[in-house]
Each structure stands twice: as structure tokens, then as C-alpha cells.
Amino acid sequence: MRVLGLETSCDETAAAVVSVEAGRGRALSDVVHTQADLHARFGGVVPELASRDHLQRALPVLDEALQKAGLALTDLDGISVTSGPGLVGALLVGVQVAKSLALVTGLPLVGVNHLEGHLLAALLAAEGQPLPEPPWLGLVVSGGHTSLYEVRALSDYRALGHTLDDAAGEAFDKVAKLLGLPYPGGAQIDKLSKGGDPKAIAFPRGLSKRSRTQFDFSFSGLKTSVLHHLRSLPAKPEGQELSDLCASFQEAVCDSLTLRAVRAAKGAGLSRLVLCGGVAANSRLRELAAERCAAEGLTLFLPEKRLCTDNGAMIAMAGAHRLGAGQRAPPDLSADPGWRL
């Protein structure tokens, strides 16, 4: 099955063609246009600007994806599009493009939950690499989401925990802004952390003493702690002091994420953990997840870094599964910015 995937939930315009055989996906093309430079001077995504840019980029990105795959629309078996959650204006661009294509070609269309796309990105592993088989635990960690899901079967998900305030990626970006680092801040902090001491500053781990929220996350207190630390300094940190601060903050985030993920997996009796979402590209998070899974006898699955950030291939993968199961989007398919998985 060859499926086109369209993704416009936030600040990436993405399109990909994926071929799926025996449950394994192979990206025939994967084109992503990022709006990072557009939003950089604002220190975060401006929804109206994001929507306008999607309008300008959607068709050129789609054309490039088809050209790189060496296919025409008539060579496809279906179309999938992110219809939620995300920024409503941004989502509407992708949904309307997908509906138009389906109407003109007669191809079946399905709407995909953005978080399901992240969870199934692990099924795009290279030939010869093992695929996660349900049940598994998925840790979805990005700029807008930090959640734990038990994947009981494909399309059967049970939420085990969520962030109670900021998402992990949002915390990275906000702390980077406090430090005067360019947007997006997660990659900048990861880079600076490589030369720093993760034990230099004892930043707190949110919810560490609350058993009733043992699978939930909180990063607002950590962000506030960084702010108070900066206010206590005589000048903005630079050099080694900046690297130490970044490493200590990053360690606090990654420690909380991996601790709860392993705890949730063991609590649910799951032996496999899939780490996904944009923050899953963080080098320390991948390293610490591998260490903790090895220590607890869990098998860790890590999508390629390019498949962790928003992309069309993961949407095509999730869409192929739903199309194969006979699902079809209704004619009135629209954006659902609050769609819960």
C-alpha cells in the first residue's frame, strides 16, 4: 500500500509517500519545510503566521514529495492527513488540501491523530531492524505534548499519564529564551550541554513526592527554578557556566521523563518502550532512556531523529494502518485542535 501523508499541525509543512508491506513502512519520499526562521524573532510560534506559511508551502511541498517518490497521485492507494490536535488554522490548511485531492482523484482519505503518528513512527524502521509489537508503552514528548500511552494494539490506546502544565519541549524553549538562546531552543540547549556538568546545579524534579500522580509530569516548577537561579546571578551566564546550567536543566527534564516512562512500563507489565516526538531527538534523553531500559530489562525502540520531529511519513504510516482497516474520513472532515488520542 502506498499512501500520501500530509502534516500541517504546527510549524512544519510536510508531505511524504510511504509504502507499507507486512506492517513495515518505507518512506519513498519525505519532504519537510520548517518555519523556524519565520518564528525565530518572536521566540515561539505565531499561529497566524504559521497558517499563512502553510498556505504558501503546502502545494510545492506536496509536488516535491511526489516527484522524489517518482509517482503521480493516481499511483497512490490513499491519502492521510493530520486533522488534530494542533493549531486550528494550520490544521485546516492540510485538511482542505487533502480533501481536495481526494475529491479530484477519488482516492480514499483518512484523518490521523498527530500523536498516533508519533507513536507509529517506530514502524518506519529500516529493513532488518526489529519493529515494536503491541503491547508497548509509548512516551510522546514534544513541544506541545508529554504523555504516556499503553499501545494495546494499533488503534487501541490507553493514556497512563500526561503533563499537568508545560510540555517538555515547551520547557526547553522557554528556558532557552530566558538564556537568550535562539529559537527553537531545544537543540541549542542540547548542544551546549555536551560540555557541561549535569550535576552542577540541583534543579528539582516535578511531582517527585506525589504518589497519586506517579505517571504524570510537571515542568513549570523546574522552569521557575531556572528563572530564580538566573536572578541570583550577577550577570547572564556564559561559557562553562552556561554549559553547566544547560546540562543541569536538561538532566532534570530527561531524568523525569525516563524515570516515569520506566515506572509506567513496569507498572503496566510492558516490556517494550517506544520513545517518540520532537524531544526524542535529544541526545541525552536517548542515552538515558537506553541506560534505564537496559537496567530494567526493557527493550527500547527509538525512531530515527528525522522521524521524531513532525513529518509526513509518520502520518502516512498511521494513515496506511487505518485505510487498511477500512476506515474512511467523512465528507465533513475538519480540524479538531483538541483531539485526544
Side-chain angles (χ1 to χ4, degrees), residues 18 47 69 78 127 132 164 186 200 211 240 287:
V18 167
E127 196 67 37
L164 303 182
S211 60
Q240 187 61 48
E287 179 183 66

Side-chain angles (χ1 to χ4, degrees), residues 137 139 148 158 160-164 206-218 255-268:
L137 180 76
L139 171 59
L148 288 165
R158 179 170 72 105
L160 299 182
H162 298 286
T163 181
L164 303 182
L207 306 180
S208 60
K209 297 180 180 179
R210 295 176 62 180
S211 60
R212 291 174 59 187
T213 53
Q214 60 177 333
F215 300 153
D216 290 325
F217 305 91
S218 173
D255 185 33
S256 295
L257 291 170
T258 55
L259 177 67
R260 281 167 175 73
V262 168
R263 179 190 294 164
K266 296 186 69 177

Side-chain angles (χ1 to χ4, degrees), residues 62 67 93 105 107 125 155 234 269 278 298 337:
L62 167 63
Q67 290 173 11
V93 174
T105 62
L107 288 169
S155 75
L298 303 177

Side-chain angles (χ1 to χ4, degrees), residues 5-324:
L6 300 175
E7 156 64 25
T8 62
S9 66
C10 189
D11 60 342
E12 271 88 28
T13 310
V17 178
V18 167
S19 174
V20 180
E21 296 181 13
R24 183 185 299 272
R26 178 170 63 92
L28 304 181
S29 65
D30 188 9
V31 179
V32 179
H33 165 73
T34 179
Q35 302 176 2
D37 291 343
L38 176 65
H39 301 290
R41 66 191 182 101
F42 302 104
V45 177
V46 180
E48 179 61 26
L49 294 181
S51 301
R52 291 180 183 179
D53 199 67
H54 285 309
L55 281 170
Q56 295 176 326
R57 305 288 181 172
L59 293 181
V61 166
L62 167 63
D63 287 342
E64 185 178 349
L66 290 171
Q67 290 173 11
K68 287 188 173 181
L71 299 172
L73 281 170
T74 52
D75 297 319
L76 302 175
D77 298 302
I79 300 171
S80 61
V81 61
T82 302
S83 52
L87 302 175
V88 63
L91 288 167
L92 281 170
V93 174
V95 169
Q96 291 305 114
V97 169
K99 289 172 67 174
S100 299
L101 293 174
L103 180 63
V104 169
T105 62
L107 288 169
L109 170 67
V110 67
V112 170
N113 186 295
H114 181 78
L115 301 183
E116 183 178 30
H118 278 306
L119 285 169
L120 300 194
L123 301 181
L124 288 157
E127 196 67 37
Q129 293 184 348
L131 298 180
E133 295 183 5
W136 80 68
L137 180 76
L139 171 59
V140 184
V141 54
S142 66
H145 309 279
T146 301
S147 302
L148 288 165
Y149 291 97
E150 178 185 0
V151 180
R152 294 181 283 197
L154 300 187
S155 75
D156 183 6
Y157 311 104
R158 179 170 72 105
L160 299 182
H162 298 286
T163 181
L164 303 182
D165 39 62
D166 293 346
E170 182 183 3
F172 267 105
D173 287 339
K174 287 181 177 178
V175 167
K177 190 172 183 178
L178 291 175
L179 296 172
L181 300 176
Y183 175 85
Q188 302 294 329
I189 289 177
D190 191 7
K191 182 179 179 179
L192 287 167
S193 294
K194 296 186 185 305
D197 178 4
K199 298 181 180 179
I201 306 167
F203 286 127
R205 276 59 167 164
L207 306 180
S208 60
K209 297 180 180 179
R210 295 176 62 180
S211 60
R212 291 174 59 187
T213 53
Q214 60 177 333
F215 300 153
D216 290 325
F217 305 91
S218 173
F219 298 104
S220 63
L222 171 60
K223 180 186 64 180
T224 302
S225 181
V226 173
L227 176 60
H228 288 320
H229 177 79
L230 289 172
R231 286 176 174 173
S232 72
L233 300 177
K236 184 166 289 189
E238 297 179 351
Q240 187 61 48
E241 186 180 16
L242 177 59
S243 292
D244 287 347
L245 193 156
C246 288
S248 298
F249 165 75
Q250 178 174 268
E251 190 71 10
V253 174
C254 296
D255 185 33
S256 295
L257 291 170
T258 55
L259 177 67
R260 281 167 175 73
V262 168
R263 179 190 294 164
K266 296 186 69 177
L270 303 172
S271 61
R272 292 174 284 273
L273 172 64
V274 171
L275 180 60
C276 55
V279 181
N282 180 274
S283 61
R284 179 54 181 157
L285 180 58
R286 296 170 80 91
E287 179 183 66
L288 189 54
E291 291 175 5
R292 283 198 158 140
C293 283
E296 297 294 339
L298 303 177
T299 303
L300 177 66
F301 294 87
L302 290 168
E304 294 180 40
K305 288 187 177 182
R306 68 177 182 85
L307 295 173
C308 292
T309 53
D310 291 352
N311 62 86
M314 68 183 194
I315 302 305
M317 184 71 235
H321 164 68
R322 293 193 172 273
L323 288 167

Side-chain angles (χ1 to χ4, degrees), residues 321-335:
H321 164 68
R322 293 193 172 273
L323 288 167
Q327 297 184 29
R328 301 292 185 268
D332 61 349
L333 175 68
S334 187

